[in-house]
Amino acid sequence: GENVEQHPSTLSVQEGDSAVIKCTYSDSASNYFPWYKQELGKRPQLIIDIRSNVGEKKDQRIAVTLNKTAKHFSLHITETQPEDSAVYFCAASRRALTFGSGTRLQVQP
Amino acid sequence: DTEVTQTPKHLVMGMTNKKSLKCEQHMGHRAMYWYKQKAKKPPELMFVYSYEKLSINESVPSRFSPECPNSSLLNLHLHALQPEDSALYLCASSAGTEAFFGQGTRLTVV
């Protein structure tokens, strides 16, 4: 089955800095790669996604890149704000989502 | 309606009890999922229903029994659970790729 590895497990940045989270996947048949933000006690919320036929996607301060050859994808958050503090999960999907282990992002004011 | 609704929000049950979790969506999605999430861990896939048929069972113990009565409803029947089954149970639905998650049922087994 699919295996998704995510790094780093924790990330602390100063407000206004950029944050980068990286994931690798194992199943070359996976074709959909979403990123979720989960605040304590709440459901995962989709923040951005990318399909396997696209190399990069941007939505305001958030961008995702995908390298199919290397089987890795990354989340970039620019101009971080304290409200960006949460746990972020990457996922890969062919028939269902397989999640990475999560990154706890802390943005220091 | 773009919501996936799960009931109950919280559930405390004894190891000899039988209970059910319910999930409902009215977005016309034909794929529905159960995930289990332990504290500080990612969601783990349990079951996938596609067009009301069970298509994936991730080797889940038989004390968890899923049911899809119709295209809008997904149930998870619980029986003889163990304390280690305490977790957040998330339901999701999808029309293809993007998955919409319910707010989850926080289950505590005592």
Side-chain angles (χ1 to χ4, degrees):
Chain A
E2 176 67 276
N3 182 49
V4 179
E5 295 190 359
Q6 182 172 346
H7 300 280
S9 56
T10 60
L11 181 58
S12 183
V13 300
Q14 290 295 125
E15 183 177 358
D17 287 351
S18 295
V20 179
I21 303 171
K22 297 183 178 183
C23 289
T24 61
Y25 62 99
S26 62
D27 187 352
S28 56
S30 288
N31 56 12
Y32 176 64
F33 306 92
W35 287 87
Y36 287 88
K37 175 183 180 182
Q38 189 174 31
E39 297 175 351
L40 191 62
K42 297 191 175 181
R43 76 185 87 186
Q45 295 273 13
L46 178 71
I47 57 170
I48 196 167
D49 57 12
I50 193 166
R51 286 161 175 76
S52 59
N53 59 347
V54 176
E56 185 173 356
K57 183 177 178 180
K58 189 173 181 180
D59 182 4
Q60 298 182 345
R61 296 187 296 111
I62 295 172
V64 58
T65 59
L66 171 65
N67 183 327
K68 279 174 52 180
T69 304
K71 288 193 257 183
H72 66 70
F73 56 116
S74 300
L75 177 71
H76 303 252
I77 306 174
T78 59
E79 301 171 23
T80 53
Q81 300 165 2
E83 50 266 37
D84 294 329
S85 298
V87 177
Y88 291 80
F89 292 103
C90 64
S93 177
R94 182 164 63 101
R95 296 178 65 194
L97 295 172
T98 299
F99 286 85
S101 54
T103 296
R104 182 171 299 279
L105 174 64
Q106 192 160 12
V107 181
Q108 308 285 356
Chain B
D1 185 356
T2 59
E3 282 286 317
V4 176
T5 303
Q6 289 187 243
T7 54
K9 288 185 171 57
H10 301 275
L11 178 62
V12 179
M13 62 184 290
M15 289 187 284
T16 59
N17 291 160
K18 286 185 180 181
K19 296 286 184 183
S20 296
L21 310 184
K22 180 179 173 182
C23 174
E24 192 166 5
Q25 57 89 13
H26 296 286
M27 295 179 278
H29 292 171
R30 303 315 296 262
M32 295 187 76
Y33 313 81
W34 281 115
Y35 285 84
K36 173 183 177 180
Q37 186 175 24
K38 302 276 281 183
K40 298 187 179 181
K41 295 291 186 182
E44 291 182 1
L45 183 67
M46 300 175 72
F47 303 104
V48 180
Y49 272 83
S50 180
Y51 291 88
E52 301 163 46
K53 293 191 187 310
L54 183 64
S55 63
I56 297 177
N57 176 342
E58 290 288 289
S59 303
V60 178
S62 59
R63 58 185 183 269
F64 295 92
S65 176
E67 178 196 21
C68 189
N70 60 56
S71 60
S72 300
L73 280 175
L74 186 66
N75 298 321
L76 187 62
H77 303 298
L78 314 172
H79 173 55
L81 294 193
Q82 303 298 309
E84 58 265 29
D85 296 321
S86 298
L88 180 68
Y89 288 83
L90 292 161
C91 172
S93 70
S94 171
T97 50
E98 182 178 351
F100 292 76
F101 282 88
Q103 80 277 23
T105 293
R106 188 159 299 281
L107 173 67
T108 303
V109 181
V110 297

